Amino acid sequence: MALTVLSRGVLIAPFCLALSRFVCYAKESEQQAESAVRIGVIGAGIGGSSCSFYLRQLFGKDAELDVYEAGEIGGRLATVSIGGHVYESGATVIHPKNMYMQRFVRDLGLKHKDRPTTGKKMGFYNGEEFVFIESQWSVVTLAKMFWKYGFDLLKLRKAVGVLIENFSRIYDVHDNGIAYTSVEGILNAMGGREYVNLTKVSLAEVLKEHGYADEFVADMVSIAARVNYGQQTNMSAFAGEVSLAGVQGGLWSVHGGNKQVCSRLLEKSKATLYKSTVSGIKLAKGDKPGYYLIIAEPPDKNGNISAHVAGKYDIIVIATPLHHGKTDLKFKSFPKEITNFPDPFHRTVATYVDGELNFRAFGFDSKEDCPTEILTTRDNKFGINSVAHNYPVDYQKGKTETQKPVWKVFSREPLTDNQLGTLFTSRKETKVVDWLAYPHYDPPDTLSSFELHAGLYYINSVEWAASAMEMVAVGGRNTALLAYNKYHGLNDKIDAKWKPKTEL
Ligand SMILES: Cc1cc2nc3c(=O)[nH]c(=O)nc-3n(C[C@H](O)[C@H](O)[C@H](O)COP(=O)(O)OP(=O)(O)OC[C@H]3O[C@@H](n4cnc5c(N)ncnc54)[C@H](O)[C@@H]3O)c2cc1C
């Protein structure tokens, strides 16, 4: 195909894209067009790249696979440069039992980043004082935690363990070729109706029902919801439980940066990458219906906007959130309007500071006593959710030049100069990344379908259960399987009840 490139960072101007597509289609023989399935994927974050990878595995080498990306490959898997080093700026930590991310790293020639084992100290700050500070000895930390929170700690650990075990069922389901049309289907396969219901009630309600102490919820549970989703314990229980898994031990990141997973998955998928913003999808009429992807050009000097068709596809996968402030796609000529994405995304601002934290503002006389990971349990005078040391993406034990931490502050709003002046005694460099980060979970959350219309799929429905790299990778594989099963009429592999094989 003329003028197409594989993913390695080569840009194509929208004009060339239009031209190449036009020329391609004019030249394409009737037979080719009939035999090879044409698939267009919008978005090259972990959702779009994992889906493309699995689509190629399923549909084989003849499938025509095009990926459109408006920004950078990786999307919310992104990095920021500060103080001469590179740090994760979006999705950072991965749970050890997240098997898709583990498989990707193993199969794509990547590796886990080393974790600093010394110099880290965690503290829970309630806006006035520290309600808990980690000791340098883990046994002492555990004893202190147990003393303060008692059996709630063990109970919660067990509950999160069960969630993670149940979550793992989806790998078996997918490995057996089964796909679900809805997010409810996936949650059902993991943990039955109970898991669907967890998206309809708040985390605080569920914990209260299970007898957890108010103090435990206000401290331990609150920090997880705030640091992982910038939200409170009134968020939905399923996403809330996922946030609790995100403060467990053994969390890891990819050496060199998480976003490499996306670029390598795209390379493996052998998709053709177009660096273009898709502005709409039009349902093509005729004997063999399909979809047209529409690219809008930037306005010309007179303010006129022109749009052109980038390609015609049998299958389209939308791999970006369609919610307010995120992607605004226009759907044309569909028999039923596709517009139902009202729920808002949550703003989280990540501020990176190469400088000195004002430990006195947190009540300490010496720097050594002050925690390097301050997780807040409630809103506070600093206006922050957390402030913590962050290590470069190429951190390696024994390599001192890779070990420079910077401070990463999470807040709901951008911090003012005054606020930064209170938090830090000196700042050599400051960088701000302002994210519409993940759904604002306000139960009951609406769980929509992965299929918006025959042949038109939407991965990011899955984020309304919980937003995480693994969750979206689950959505990506599920969507690839769903598209394949539907295309080939494999109805017994769609929404099938899954019974794991037993020894008997
Ligand atoms: C600050 C922050 C911290 C987080 N921390 C974690 C964490 O520690 N662990 C974890 O597991 N998860 C974390 N997450 C959540 C995680 O990042 C997301 O769940 C996941 O990355 C979503 O991936 P995606 O591919 O669905 O969407 P995105 O990554 O948003 O990808 C969508 C892509 O589509 C492109 N696009 C949009 N519109 C168009 C268009 N019209 N045409 C073409 N392309 C388009 C975008 O440019 C983007 O690249 C965090 C998120 C944020 C923001």
Side-chain angles (χ1 to χ4, degrees), residues 432-452:
V432 179
V433 189
D434 196 347
W435 291 103
L436 261 185
Y438 13 66
H440 184 82
Y441 298 106
D442 186 10
D445 285 324
T446 315
L447 300 180
S448 51
S449 174
F450 287 109
E451 190 184 34
L452 301 179

mmCIF file of all heavy atoms in Angstrom, residues 432-452:
data_model
loop_
_atom_site.group_PDB
_atom_site.id
_atom_site.type_symbol
_atom_site.label_atom_id
_atom_site.label_comp_id
_atom_site.label_asym_id
_atom_site.label_seq_id
_atom_site.Cartn_x
_atom_site.Cartn_y
_atom_site.Cartn_z
ATOM 1 N N VAL A 432 3.943 20.565 34.597
ATOM 2 C CA VAL A 432 2.559 20.222 34.940
ATOM 3 C C VAL A 432 1.933 19.414 33.805
ATOM 4 O O VAL A 432 2.050 19.798 32.643
ATOM 5 C CB VAL A 432 1.736 21.515 35.168
ATOM 6 C CG1 VAL A 432 0.283 21.178 35.491
ATOM 7 C CG2 VAL A 432 2.346 22.358 36.282
ATOM 8 N N VAL A 433 1.308 18.302 34.147
ATOM 9 C CA VAL A 433 0.544 17.538 33.149
ATOM 10 C C VAL A 433 -0.901 17.478 33.654
ATOM 11 O O VAL A 433 -1.178 16.917 34.708
ATOM 12 C CB VAL A 433 1.102 16.101 32.961
ATOM 13 C CG1 VAL A 433 0.431 15.432 31.778
ATOM 14 C CG2 VAL A 433 2.615 16.122 32.765
ATOM 15 N N ASP A 434 -1.770 18.102 32.883
ATOM 16 C CA ASP A 434 -3.172 18.251 33.294
ATOM 17 C C ASP A 434 -3.994 17.191 32.546
ATOM 18 O O ASP A 434 -4.146 17.254 31.339
ATOM 19 C CB ASP A 434 -3.612 19.675 32.894
ATOM 20 C CG ASP A 434 -4.880 20.098 33.596
ATOM 21 O OD1 ASP A 434 -5.542 19.232 34.187
ATOM 22 O OD2 ASP A 434 -5.193 21.300 33.552
ATOM 23 N N TRP A 435 -4.515 16.228 33.292
ATOM 24 C CA TRP A 435 -5.206 15.093 32.664
ATOM 25 C C TRP A 435 -6.721 15.138 32.865
ATOM 26 O O TRP A 435 -7.179 15.449 33.969
ATOM 27 C CB TRP A 435 -4.747 13.772 33.284
ATOM 28 C CG TRP A 435 -3.358 13.345 33.015
ATOM 29 C CD1 TRP A 435 -2.298 13.435 33.877
ATOM 30 C CD2 TRP A 435 -2.860 12.704 31.837
ATOM 31 N NE1 TRP A 435 -1.177 12.908 33.302
ATOM 32 C CE2 TRP A 435 -1.488 12.455 32.042
ATOM 33 C CE3 TRP A 435 -3.431 12.330 30.621
ATOM 34 C CZ2 TRP A 435 -0.686 11.831 31.097
ATOM 35 C CZ3 TRP A 435 -2.634 11.717 29.673
ATOM 36 C CH2 TRP A 435 -1.280 11.475 29.912
ATOM 37 N N LEU A 436 -7.474 14.800 31.820
ATOM 38 C CA LEU A 436 -8.834 14.281 32.054
ATOM 39 C C LEU A 436 -8.563 12.794 32.152
ATOM 40 O O LEU A 436 -8.406 12.119 31.143
ATOM 41 C CB LEU A 436 -9.738 14.609 30.879
ATOM 42 C CG LEU A 436 -10.633 15.827 31.055
ATOM 43 C CD1 LEU A 436 -11.560 15.990 29.877
ATOM 44 C CD2 LEU A 436 -11.415 15.808 32.359
ATOM 45 N N ALA A 437 -8.454 12.326 33.373
ATOM 46 C CA ALA A 437 -7.682 11.107 33.602
ATOM 47 C C ALA A 437 -8.447 9.789 33.485
ATOM 48 O O ALA A 437 -7.992 8.836 32.857
ATOM 49 C CB ALA A 437 -7.036 11.196 34.978
ATOM 50 N N TYR A 438 -9.592 9.715 34.157
ATOM 51 C CA TYR A 438 -10.373 8.472 34.231
ATOM 52 C C TYR A 438 -11.805 8.882 34.532
ATOM 53 O O TYR A 438 -12.066 10.049 34.884
ATOM 54 C CB TYR A 438 -9.852 7.530 35.340
ATOM 55 C CG TYR A 438 -8.875 8.193 36.299
ATOM 56 C CD1 TYR A 438 -9.303 9.214 37.142
ATOM 57 C CD2 TYR A 438 -7.541 7.839 36.349
ATOM 58 C CE1 TYR A 438 -8.420 9.855 37.993
ATOM 59 C CE2 TYR A 438 -6.639 8.494 37.200
ATOM 60 C CZ TYR A 438 -7.106 9.498 38.013
ATOM 61 O OH TYR A 438 -6.239 10.154 38.849
ATOM 62 N N PRO A 439 -12.754 7.957 34.433
ATOM 63 C CA PRO A 439 -14.137 8.344 34.712
ATOM 64 C C PRO A 439 -14.300 8.879 36.133
ATOM 65 O O PRO A 439 -13.551 8.486 37.038
ATOM 66 C CB PRO A 439 -14.904 7.034 34.543
ATOM 67 C CG PRO A 439 -14.069 6.215 33.629
ATOM 68 C CD PRO A 439 -12.649 6.563 33.966
ATOM 69 N N HIS A 440 -15.239 9.794 36.296
ATOM 70 C CA HIS A 440 -15.623 10.192 37.648
ATOM 71 C C HIS A 440 -16.685 9.186 38.084
ATOM 72 O O HIS A 440 -17.812 9.189 37.578
ATOM 73 C CB HIS A 440 -16.165 11.623 37.660
ATOM 74 C CG HIS A 440 -16.485 12.084 39.042
ATOM 75 N ND1 HIS A 440 -15.504 12.568 39.889
ATOM 76 C CD2 HIS A 440 -17.631 12.057 39.743
ATOM 77 C CE1 HIS A 440 -16.056 12.838 41.055
ATOM 78 N NE2 HIS A 440 -17.335 12.538 40.992
ATOM 79 N N TYR A 441 -16.306 8.326 39.005
ATOM 80 C CA TYR A 441 -17.193 7.224 39.391
ATOM 81 C C TYR A 441 -18.214 7.691 40.417
ATOM 82 O O TYR A 441 -17.853 7.998 41.553
ATOM 83 C CB TYR A 441 -16.370 6.054 39.956
ATOM 84 C CG TYR A 441 -15.419 5.485 38.943
ATOM 85 C CD1 TYR A 441 -14.055 5.729 39.016
ATOM 86 C CD2 TYR A 441 -15.893 4.714 37.895
ATOM 87 C CE1 TYR A 441 -13.176 5.210 38.070
ATOM 88 C CE2 TYR A 441 -15.022 4.186 36.944
ATOM 89 C CZ TYR A 441 -13.673 4.436 37.041
ATOM 90 O OH TYR A 441 -12.819 3.923 36.104
ATOM 91 N N ASP A 442 -19.458 7.753 39.962
ATOM 92 C CA ASP A 442 -20.523 8.251 40.822
ATOM 93 C C ASP A 442 -21.672 7.248 40.724
ATOM 94 O O ASP A 442 -22.497 7.334 39.814
ATOM 95 C CB ASP A 442 -20.938 9.642 40.282
ATOM 96 C CG ASP A 442 -21.926 10.316 41.190
ATOM 97 O OD1 ASP A 442 -22.142 9.814 42.315
ATOM 98 O OD2 ASP A 442 -22.495 11.347 40.776
ATOM 99 N N PRO A 443 -21.691 6.258 41.612
ATOM 100 C CA PRO A 443 -22.637 5.156 41.420
ATOM 101 C C PRO A 443 -24.097 5.615 41.488
ATOM 102 O O PRO A 443 -24.375 6.573 42.202
ATOM 103 C CB PRO A 443 -22.311 4.212 42.583
ATOM 104 C CG PRO A 443 -21.630 5.053 43.605
ATOM 105 C CD PRO A 443 -20.938 6.150 42.854
ATOM 106 N N PRO A 444 -24.998 4.952 40.730
ATOM 107 C CA PRO A 444 -24.736 3.809 39.857
ATOM 108 C C PRO A 444 -24.098 4.256 38.545
ATOM 109 O O PRO A 444 -24.576 5.182 37.909
ATOM 110 C CB PRO A 444 -26.142 3.238 39.601
ATOM 111 C CG PRO A 444 -27.074 4.402 39.740
ATOM 112 C CD PRO A 444 -26.456 5.319 40.748
ATOM 113 N N ASP A 445 -23.000 3.580 38.151
ATOM 114 C CA ASP A 445 -22.359 3.898 36.883
ATOM 115 C C ASP A 445 -23.048 3.160 35.739
ATOM 116 O O ASP A 445 -23.526 2.042 35.914
ATOM 117 C CB ASP A 445 -20.876 3.492 36.932
ATOM 118 C CG ASP A 445 -20.070 4.473 37.772
ATOM 119 O OD1 ASP A 445 -20.376 5.678 37.720
ATOM 120 O OD2 ASP A 445 -19.161 4.026 38.491
ATOM 121 N N THR A 446 -23.091 3.835 34.586
ATOM 122 C CA THR A 446 -23.730 3.216 33.419
ATOM 123 C C THR A 446 -22.705 2.361 32.696
ATOM 124 O O THR A 446 -21.661 2.862 32.279
ATOM 125 C CB THR A 446 -24.219 4.323 32.444
ATOM 126 O OG1 THR A 446 -24.859 5.316 33.216
ATOM 127 C CG2 THR A 446 -25.129 3.775 31.371
ATOM 128 N N LEU A 447 -23.003 1.083 32.584
ATOM 129 C CA LEU A 447 -22.101 0.185 31.852
ATOM 130 C C LEU A 447 -22.676 -0.042 30.465
ATOM 131 O O LEU A 447 -23.764 -0.581 30.335
ATOM 132 C CB LEU A 447 -21.970 -1.154 32.579
ATOM 133 C CG LEU A 447 -21.420 -1.105 33.997
ATOM 134 C CD1 LEU A 447 -21.351 -2.507 34.580
ATOM 135 C CD2 LEU A 447 -20.039 -0.459 34.032
ATOM 136 N N SER A 448 -21.958 0.391 29.440
ATOM 137 C CA SER A 448 -22.534 0.239 28.105
ATOM 138 C C SER A 448 -21.933 -0.962 27.392
ATOM 139 O O SER A 448 -21.143 -1.714 27.959
ATOM 140 C CB SER A 448 -22.363 1.521 27.308
ATOM 141 O OG SER A 448 -21.030 1.919 27.354
ATOM 142 N N SER A 449 -22.324 -1.082 26.133
ATOM 143 C CA SER A 449 -21.956 -2.246 25.352
ATOM 144 C C SER A 449 -20.607 -2.015 24.667
ATOM 145 O O SER A 449 -20.190 -0.883 24.444
ATOM 146 C CB SER A 449 -23.048 -2.444 24.305
ATOM 147 O OG SER A 449 -22.696 -3.462 23.438
ATOM 148 N N PHE A 450 -19.944 -3.124 24.309
ATOM 149 C CA PHE A 450 -18.736 -3.018 23.483
ATOM 150 C C PHE A 450 -19.121 -2.842 22.008
ATOM 151 O O PHE A 450 -18.275 -2.562 21.185
ATOM 152 C CB PHE A 450 -17.886 -4.279 23.613
ATOM 153 C CG PHE A 450 -17.184 -4.381 24.942
ATOM 154 C CD1 PHE A 450 -17.579 -5.320 25.879
ATOM 155 C CD2 PHE A 450 -16.134 -3.526 25.248
ATOM 156 C CE1 PHE A 450 -16.932 -5.416 27.110
ATOM 157 C CE2 PHE A 450 -15.487 -3.611 26.471
ATOM 158 C CZ PHE A 450 -15.890 -4.558 27.405
ATOM 159 N N GLU A 451 -20.402 -3.098 21.686
ATOM 160 C CA GLU A 451 -20.835 -3.019 20.289
ATOM 161 C C GLU A 451 -21.844 -1.883 20.159
ATOM 162 O O GLU A 451 -22.935 -1.943 20.724
ATOM 163 C CB GLU A 451 -21.479 -4.357 19.891
ATOM 164 C CG GLU A 451 -21.743 -4.461 18.420
ATOM 165 C CD GLU A 451 -22.475 -5.747 18.071
ATOM 166 O OE1 GLU A 451 -23.299 -6.221 18.885
ATOM 167 O OE2 GLU A 451 -22.216 -6.267 16.975
ATOM 168 N N LEU A 452 -21.467 -0.833 19.409
ATOM 169 C CA LEU A 452 -22.368 0.315 19.271
ATOM 170 C C LEU A 452 -23.337 0.105 18.118
ATOM 171 O O LEU A 452 -24.418 0.687 18.075
ATOM 172 C CB LEU A 452 -21.551 1.591 19.028
ATOM 173 C CG LEU A 452 -20.536 1.967 20.119
ATOM 174 C CD1 LEU A 452 -19.793 3.234 19.738
ATOM 175 C CD2 LEU A 452 -21.216 2.138 21.469
#
